[in-house]
Amino acid sequence: AAAGLCPCRALLPGALPALRRSLRGFAAGPQTHFGFQTVTEAERREKIYQVFESVADKYDVMNDSMTLGIHRVWKDILVHKMNPSPGTLLLDVAGGTGDIAFRFINYVRSVRERQLQRKLKRHQNLSWQEIAESYQEDQFKSLGDSQVVVCDINREMLRVGKQKAQDLGYSEGLSWVLGNAEELPFDDDKFDVYTIAFGIRNVTRIDLALQEAYRVLKPGGRFLCLEFSRVSNPLLSRLYDLYSFQVIPVLGEVIAGDWKSYRYLVESIRRFPPQEEFKAMIEDAGFFKVDYQNLSSGIVAIHSGFKL
């Protein structure tokens, strides 16, 4: 009778502590995944912050090692697909080390240089002094009022990016902001282009990040996301899995002294939605003309959409 009055006593040994842990997890918030682990959303945010805090100093070296340098080509393709013109205002989210920002600046500078050369060719009758003055005036505004704002949630990643910018001589048209992709610290309808490269799979609530991307873009603005995706070729997929799980964590240990963080990064790639599913998520956020371009047989994909 006593057992009937207190059902807890009827639980198997060890069941009560497990129940308590389950209740604590429920109280802590909704559950999600961290790689192949099940964690609360709060725990995931903290763990991901620690991952990037740990790998920030070796992040660029590891990117070269893991992808054999091909990530540089993928990022070049992203910026060429963007095709920014002078005056473009870009928000690059999760772009702490500056790879997309620096490419954007280089691209716009090259466009401005071509514009200047065409302008001078049209004025063959100008004196040398007039040509020099015109050239200097246009060179002073080499970005044509373009701006790129790098927003990242991780202070260490921003620190590394700022140091790179200083070392490489980037200063004009570039700013750095500490911020969360799920709650961006910017006004509505502010940016012409929003980019996120290899960052959205580390966002805890992807739906919120997409909604924020839509909010901060101007009408007519463009969303561009470069992210690891699903390989279509079965044989290549098996080889890719072997490389990812057996080689990349070892590289992480050898180069960065941190195999666990790189094991997570591999697992996070496998947990990210495939191309069609992510396309549907972008459309659900309100974007139009959503499509994607597979690169390297789908190892990565560039997703694109417009705010109308």
Side-chain angles (χ1 to χ4, degrees), residues 78 82 90-102 148-152 175-177 186 191 193-197 224:
L78 175 71
M82 185 196 314
L90 168 66
L91 173 63
D92 183 38
V93 176
T97 58
D99 273 5
I100 301 301
F102 303 153
V148 53
V149 178
V150 180
C151 180
D152 201 293
S175 57
W176 308 83
V177 174
F186 306 109
F191 296 94
V193 183
Y194 171 113
T195 54
I196 183 165
L224 286 165

Side-chain angles (χ1 to χ4, degrees), residues 227-266:
E227 188 53 87
F228 288 106
S229 200
R230 296 295 173 90
V231 177
S232 54
N233 183 288
L235 176 59
L236 179 59
S237 180
R238 286 195 291 272
L239 293 173
Y240 181 45
D241 278 346
L242 181 66
Y243 175 76
S244 297
F245 287 100
Q246 301 301 322
V247 177
I248 289 178
V250 174
L251 287 174
E253 180 63 30
V254 171
I255 296 173
D258 186 354
W259 72 269
K260 288 184 178 179
S261 291
Y262 285 93
R263 175 79 182 190
Y264 155 72
L265 292 174
V266 171

Side-chain angles (χ1 to χ4, degrees), residues 57-293:
D57 285 318
K58 298 292 185 179
Y59 185 76
D60 290 330
V61 176
M62 276 301 300
N63 279 347
D64 282 333
S65 301
M66 288 189 303
T67 69
L68 306 179
I70 300 173
H71 76 100
R72 297 172 181 267
V73 177
W74 296 332
K75 291 168 181 173
D76 287 341
I77 293 172
L78 175 71
V79 174
H80 278 81
K81 190 175 182 73
M82 185 196 314
N83 190 25
S85 58
T88 299
L89 183 57
L90 168 66
L91 173 63
D92 183 38
V93 176
T97 58
D99 273 5
I100 301 301
F102 303 153
R103 282 170 169 79
F104 169 82
I105 290 172
N106 291 342
Y107 192 96
V108 173
R109 281 177 177 169
S110 68
V111 171
R112 287 283 292 170
E113 180 68 24
R114 290 194 298 270
Q115 289 177 344
L116 176 57
Q117 290 174 358
R118 287 196 297 268
K119 176 182 175 182
L120 294 178
K121 284 179 180 178
R122 288 196 302 268
H123 296 83
Q124 296 290 343
N125 58 338
L126 292 178
S127 68
W128 173 248
Q129 183 178 357
E130 288 172 325
I131 291 174
E133 289 174 353
S134 177
Y135 187 82
Q136 289 172 358
E137 180 182 343
D138 284 322
Q139 280 292 93
F140 183 72
K141 291 186 176 182
S142 63
L143 292 179
D145 297 323
S146 293
Q147 293 278 332
V148 53
V149 178
V150 180
C151 180
D152 201 293
I153 198 172
N154 193 285
R155 293 182 185 276
E156 281 300 296
M157 294 290 282
L158 286 173
R159 178 188 62 79
V160 170
K162 289 177 183 178
Q163 186 60 53
K164 276 177 62 181
Q166 182 177 331
D167 294 343
L168 296 172
Y170 292 100
S171 57
E172 180 194 0
L174 176 63
S175 57
W176 308 83
V177 174
L178 186 69
N180 185 346
E182 300 171 44
E183 194 174 355
L184 292 170
F186 306 109
D187 293 336
D188 297 356
D189 307 328
K190 183 175 178 63
F191 296 94
D192 299 302
V193 183
Y194 171 113
T195 54
I196 183 165
F198 303 119
I200 203 160
R201 75 180 190 281
N202 297 309
V203 172
T204 299
R205 290 283 305 277
I206 294 175
D207 58 333
L208 294 183
L210 292 172
Q211 290 168 22
E212 280 292 273
Y214 187 88
R215 179 183 66 80
V216 301
L217 279 170
K218 298 175 182 176
R222 191 175 191 186
F223 168 86
L224 286 165
C225 174
L226 173 64
E227 188 53 87
F228 288 106
S229 200
R230 296 295 173 90
V231 177
S232 54
N233 183 288
L235 176 59
L236 179 59
S237 180
R238 286 195 291 272
L239 293 173
Y240 181 45
D241 278 346
L242 181 66
Y243 175 76
S244 297
F245 287 100
Q246 301 301 322
V247 177
I248 289 178
V250 174
L251 287 174
E253 180 63 30
V254 171
I255 296 173
D258 186 354
W259 72 269
K260 288 184 178 179
S261 291
Y262 285 93
R263 175 79 182 190
Y264 155 72
L265 292 174
V266 171
E267 292 175 354
S268 70
I269 292 170
R270 297 307 183 273
R271 293 299 300 260
F272 190 71
Q275 289 90 325
E276 285 293 329
E277 186 178 333
F278 186 49
K279 177 185 176 183
M281 294 176 70
I282 298 170
E283 290 171 336
D284 288 344
F287 288 99
F288 290 86
K289 292 185 65 66
V290 178
D291 63 10
Y292 59 87
Q293 175 186 357

Side-chain angles (χ1 to χ4, degrees), residues 21-81:
R21 287 194 298 272
S22 176
L23 290 173
R24 281 199 300 270
F26 180 78
Q31 289 192 326
T32 183
H33 59 83
F34 175 77
F36 293 158
Q37 300 176 42
T38 299
V39 295
T40 66
E41 289 184 355
E43 288 172 336
R44 186 179 195 273
R45 289 186 179 96
E46 179 60 28
K47 285 177 177 290
I48 289 174
Y49 191 93
Q50 291 171 357
V51 164
F52 286 94
E53 190 173 53
S54 171
V55 305
D57 285 318
K58 298 292 185 179
Y59 185 76
D60 290 330
V61 176
M62 276 301 300
N63 279 347
D64 282 333
S65 301
M66 288 189 303
T67 69
L68 306 179
I70 300 173
H71 76 100
R72 297 172 181 267
V73 177
W74 296 332
K75 291 168 181 173
D76 287 341
I77 293 172
L78 175 71
V79 174
H80 278 81
K81 190 175 182 73

